[in-house]
Amino acid sequence: MNAPLLRCRGLEAGYGASRVLFGLDFDIRAGEVVALLGRNGMGKSTTIRSIVGGLRPQRGEIVFDGRPIHAERADAIARLGVAIVPEGRQCFPNLTVHEHLVAFAARRNGVAEPWTPARLYALFPRLAERAGHLGNQLSGGEQQMLAIARALSTNPRLLILDEATEGLAPVIREEIWRCLALLKAQGQTTLVVDKYVDKLLALADRNLILERGRIAWQGSSAELDARRELWGRYLGV
Amino acid sequence: MLEPTSQGASSAPCAAAAVTHARFPGLARRLPWLVLALLAAFPLLAPAFGLEYYVGFVRRVLIVAIAATSLNFILGYGGMAALGHAGFIGVGAYTVVALVEAGFSSAWLAWGSAALVAGLAAAAIGAVSLRTRGVYFIMITLAFAQMLYYLAVSLRTWGGDDGYGLYTPLELGAWLDGAHAQVFYWVVLAIAAAVFALFSRVAHSRYGHALRGIRDNEMRMVALGYPVYGLKLAGFVAAGAVAGLAGGLLASHNAFVSPSIMHWTQSALLLVMVMLGGAGRRWGAPLGVALWLTLEEVLKLYTDYWHWPLGLLLLLVVFHAPQGVAALLERRGGREGAR
């Protein structure tokens, strides 16, 4: 079996004296979509922050494509091919949609078919209509599409989505899920955090449930679908 | 006013980028050339209207506009509120003094060296200053500029507090010397146009987009893989070098250099001019400089207390055009969102 694209071993992280993660062990293989589940405060965002270099782990190791990244700076990790779609979108208010897509499209990261503005506009036709609008002139849904397109424009080998459908209208949420399914079909490795478990089941290959900073359960979507008692116990659904 | 970018410039969506509907697109495109032609013709037309004195005045406006354009680049596009930009102007001016003192007389060598030395000073100062943010960045750039100011005051060889007179004009070389009394004016105009065009181009390149991204959300830029510190330092050095070039030109223009050229009040004045014109606006710096210096010149004719009406006018602009005069004109011209 191939080595995993991302490997976390004994990951412990927190804020000052407050420990949030207690020895996480998990892998993400190339082409896989992995869902990170759990109630609020269980450590999902801390896990993501540790992977992208926003938070230095206190113990353990994170290896991306065979290279330890737990001590790397955030920009160096991003250049290796880890892109995050952050909670809250964080589009640049003074860059147009088109500028968002060309400003970050420099690296290929060994991707055979790099993301060009034309491909991104094909994925999100609504962005093409708004190409000349500034980041702060877009609706919430358009900003979310732009945040995903911006992350894709860096040609990531691992795409991380943190609550990508949070606060969006149902029709826009469906649009985002459709795009994520399309990305999966194209072989995009993805780690996704979201609260819509039923949607995640349809998308993810594997699911990790976090409970108080530990992985309480992990398995395939079919297994999670069959074990509804886990939903109530760990996800509050 | 959106310019095509390096990638996907010809793509169909870029056509949709014309959210900035100009009412008079033809005029808007030709206006810079019209202004350039008028400025180029001014020394020839001025004697006919008895305005010879103002040829020197416009030359000074152009030189200050070069420095302000470089400040606008780091302040308006990069979000670096440097309160020590006059320090680089001073470094450029004193580089010219040092070369003249050493026996060199070539203007091109002097101005080129002024830019180079100021760029090196900006690299050293930026390397330290850019590790801070916000009010700390303002204070540390101010502190460095004041250190340069007191260094100039203490340099007796170059006149110290009394300043240094450049009694022999620098040589432009070949046919440029003595060919026409206004040649220096045209040289300054050409340099100002080149600097303005260069910064406008860079501000709308991928590097310019990245710089604006850093201004808006530095952490997000880091997460997108950008070496934020290096990008900011590159902009800071370029701006410092161009301010040094302006300093070299100012030394030639005034035929005199004194430490007051780099006093912190001069840095603050540059900031005020950029804010008045519109920070982060293409035309912000030259508009702000032209407006401020012209009003100063006109008001001085009527009162010794010209600071008062100028201050009141500044208040009016702050309340009615907080994004600067350039933004106001863009709105009037129906070009919302043009930057």
Side-chain angles (χ1 to χ4, degrees), chain A residues 79 90 94 102-103 105-106 121, chain B residues 7 13 206 215 220 225-226 339:
Chain A
R79 284 196 293 276
Q90 300 182 26
N94 291 297
V102 296
Y121 287 130
Chain B
Q7 287 196 21
R206 283 188 59 240
R215 177 193 63 186
R220 183 99 309 272
Y226 273 80
R339 290 154 299 133

Side-chain angles (χ1 to χ4, degrees), chain B residues 160-182:
Chain B
D161 210 9
D162 297 327
Y164 187 96
L166 297 159
Y167 301 111
T168 312
L170 294 170
E171 293 165 10
L172 290 162
W175 54 271
L176 288 170
D177 279 314
H180 198 289
Q182 271 83 31

Side-chain angles (χ1 to χ4, degrees), chain A residues 9 25 60 82 90 115 117 134 145 156 161 174:
Chain A
R9 288 289 176 272
D25 294 325
V82 179
Q90 300 182 26
W115 286 97
L134 298 175
M145 292 175 197
L161 296 113
E174 288 305 319

Side-chain angles (χ1 to χ4, degrees), chain A residues 117-152:
Chain A
R119 271 189 79 199
L120 292 165
Y121 287 130
L123 184 66
F124 296 110
R126 195 184 281 243
L127 291 183
E129 294 163 20
R130 307 285 246 153
H133 289 249
L134 298 175
N136 61 0
Q137 293 172 332
L138 305 176
S139 70
E142 289 164 349
Q143 284 188 13
Q144 191 61 65
M145 292 175 197
L146 181 57
I148 296 173
R150 177 182 61 187
L152 287 173

Side-chain angles (χ1 to χ4, degrees), chain B residues 92 95-97 99-100 103-115 166 168-174 176-177 183-184 187-188 191 244-245 247-253:
Chain B
T95 302
V96 170
V97 168
L99 287 172
V100 168
F104 294 97
S105 58
S106 164
W108 304 110
L109 174 74
W111 298 335
S113 304
L166 297 159
T168 312
L170 294 170
E171 293 165 10
L172 290 162
L176 288 170
D177 279 314
V183 159
F184 181 37
V187 167
V188 168
I191 292 173
L245 172 64
L249 293 171
L250 206 57
S252 295
H253 170 83

Side-chain angles (χ1 to χ4, degrees), chain B residues 34-52:
Chain B
L34 196 66
V35 172
L36 189 64
L38 276 174
L39 285 170
F42 185 63
L44 302 175
L45 300 174
F49 300 95
L51 298 171
E52 293 95 330

